[in-house]
Amino acid sequence: MATQTHDQLLQTIQNALAACGYTGELSGGNLQTRTPLTGEDLFAIQGTTKEQATEMITAADEAYKSWREVPAPRRGNVVKRWGELLTEHKHDLGILVQVEAGKSISEAEGEVQEMIDICDFALGQSRMLYGKTMPSERPGHRLMETWHPIGVVGVISAFNFPVAVYSWNTANALVCGDTVVWKPSEMCALSALGAHALLARAIEECGEDQNISHLILGDRNVGEVLLDDPRVALVSATGSTRMGREVAPRVASRFGCYLLELGGNNAGIVTPSADLDLALRGIVFAAAGTAGQRCTTMRRLIVHESIADELVD
């Protein structure tokens, strides 16, 4: 990737997006995409306005009314087909992730594999949405537990895993009968276009309503629409602890639900009995994998004083 000229890189991106099924414009917009691989600007694509975001929520809310009535195994077919398309275009989407997140191609394709795996999981869940039956104190009666979809789910994802986190939320939400409006990091808009296009293809091929899935592109200002709209029943947000502190009270103030996946401050503990070579390999990967940009990145070491100097060296 690094040996390509700028024009070759742009062509590689265009080819990858086309393979995923994206047919929109890649120029003349107000959202500038860049690559951390070289620091170069890529395409200026069209972002989403707040008005357009509200329209998407309206469409998703309307689609939800019929999508929730679709049998769960049939909903699972959409996710199954999405997983098949992701498998077919694993390298194409991996290229987009590599360009925008700066990952090695093996790490980028590994992230797409996580999408494929969650589709397999959610497909199984589509036939496992069980409820309990319980005895009642009234003669001749039993109580039945039934799970219902919640509504429109807003997904806000971060740049470090630009497509995997989106799929974790979306595959399960769709199977449960919810519709999805996704606001990815503005730093990874091209990856989002590719991932969303593949889901749109799956929805179309399965003969379902395209409005069960929407994509919002832009900065935090447009993403805030998801926080404040009462029709968004659940906001699932991944990012910094600071972001979570802003999202949680804002959604809670309208009695919405939120699901937060935030940054960690994980520590490794190394005892005198540890295999230091093994510990060192684990520490380096845990601290430096994905350039340290993981929710589970190791940030601290707690080492016994008898081995501290040796381990540090």
Side-chain angles (χ1 to χ4, degrees), residues 67-87:
W67 181 241
R68 65 186 177 184
E69 300 295 337
V70 174
R74 197 176 111 190
R75 299 194 297 252
N77 287 337
V78 172
V79 173
K80 176 184 178 182
R81 183 58 186 144
W82 190 25
E84 292 170 347
L85 289 171
L86 287 166
T87 302

Side-chain angles (χ1 to χ4, degrees), residues 63-82 119 122-129 171-178 199 202-210 212:
Y64 163 68
K65 296 172 184 176
S66 56
W67 181 241
R68 65 186 177 184
E69 300 295 337
V70 174
R74 197 176 111 190
R75 299 194 297 252
N77 287 337
V78 172
V79 173
K80 176 184 178 182
R81 183 58 186 144
W82 190 25
C119 286
L123 174 61
Q125 291 296 106
S126 71
R127 293 182 179 272
M128 297 174 62
L129 300 178
N172 288 298
L174 291 178
V175 159
C176 289
D178 303 313
L199 178 54
I203 295 170
E204 180 181 13
E205 291 177 14
C206 291
E208 306 295 351
D209 187 350
Q210 285 288 344
I212 63 176

Side-chain angles (χ1 to χ4, degrees), residues 13-312:
I13 294 169
Q14 288 176 310
N15 292 343
L17 282 169
C20 291
Y22 177 71
T23 59
E25 292 292 329
L26 289 173
S27 61
N30 59 354
L31 182 58
Q32 182 64 57
T33 60
R34 296 182 175 86
T35 175
L37 296 176
T38 61
E40 295 175 282
D41 289 345
L42 299 173
F43 296 99
I45 62 176
Q46 188 58 50
T48 307
T49 66
K50 285 190 171 185
E51 291 74 20
Q52 290 171 328
T54 299
E55 291 172 2
M56 291 181 189
I57 294 171
T58 299
D61 184 53
E62 190 62 31
Y64 163 68
K65 296 172 184 176
S66 56
W67 181 241
R68 65 186 177 184
E69 300 295 337
V70 174
R74 197 176 111 190
R75 299 194 297 252
N77 287 337
V78 172
V79 173
K80 176 184 178 182
R81 183 58 186 144
W82 190 25
E84 292 170 347
L85 289 171
L86 287 166
T87 302
E88 181 181 346
H89 297 285
K90 180 177 178 178
H91 183 66
D92 298 311
L93 188 54
I95 286 174
L96 298 174
V97 172
Q98 180 189 25
V99 169
E100 288 194 302
K103 299 184 179 186
S104 66
I105 190 61
S106 60
E107 281 271 335
E109 290 187 359
E111 180 172 348
V112 181
Q113 184 62 48
E114 292 187 28
M115 302 178 74
I116 297 166
D117 293 342
I118 201 66
C119 286
D120 287 344
F121 174 83
L123 174 61
Q125 291 296 106
S126 71
R127 293 182 179 272
M128 297 174 62
L129 300 178
Y130 306 137
K132 299 176 182 177
T133 59
M134 297 155 281
S136 168
E137 67 273 13
R138 298 180 64 186
H141 287 72
R142 289 190 68 82
L143 305 176
M144 182 176 69
E145 176 188 60
T146 303
W147 291 81
H148 295 277
I150 194 171
V152 179
V153 173
V155 178
I156 300 174
S157 58
F159 81 98
N160 59 339
F161 284 87
V163 292
V165 171
Y166 155 65
S167 69
W168 300 342
N169 288 277
T170 299
N172 288 298
L174 291 178
V175 159
C176 289
D178 303 313
T179 56
V180 177
V181 181
W182 177 30
K183 194 302 191 172
S185 167
E186 63 269 29
M187 299 170 68
C188 295
L190 298 174
S191 303
L193 290 174
H196 184 258
L198 288 170
L199 178 54
R201 286 175 60 182
I203 295 170
E204 180 181 13
E205 291 177 14
C206 291
E208 306 295 351
D209 187 350
Q210 285 288 344
N211 284 313
I212 63 176
S213 171
H214 289 272
L215 173 63
I216 294 174
L217 295 177
D219 59 17
R220 60 172 290 166
N221 291 320
V222 69
E224 288 174 347
V225 175
L226 293 172
L227 306 184
D228 298 330
D229 195 311
R231 295 170 298 178
V232 180
L234 168 68
V235 175
S236 178
T238 302
S240 66
T241 303
R242 176 198 56 76
M243 181 272 291
R245 289 195 179 102
E246 295 184 30
V247 168
R250 196 156 170 176
V251 177
S253 69
R254 60 174 176 83
F255 296 107
C257 298
Y258 56 84
L259 175 64
L260 303 179
E261 183 184 12
L262 310 178
N265 192 22
N266 300 297
I269 301 174
V270 187
T271 65
S273 60
D275 180 330
L276 295 192
D277 288 335
L278 181 61
L280 182 61
R281 290 198 297 273
I283 290 164
V284 171
F285 181 79
T290 319
Q293 297 297 330
R294 293 178 184 264
C295 305
T296 54
T297 291
M298 185 180 294
R299 295 176 60 188
R300 298 172 295 145
L301 282 176
I302 301 170
V303 185
H304 193 273
E305 60 185 0
S306 65
I307 58 170
D309 290 341
E310 182 181 358
L311 181 64
V312 170

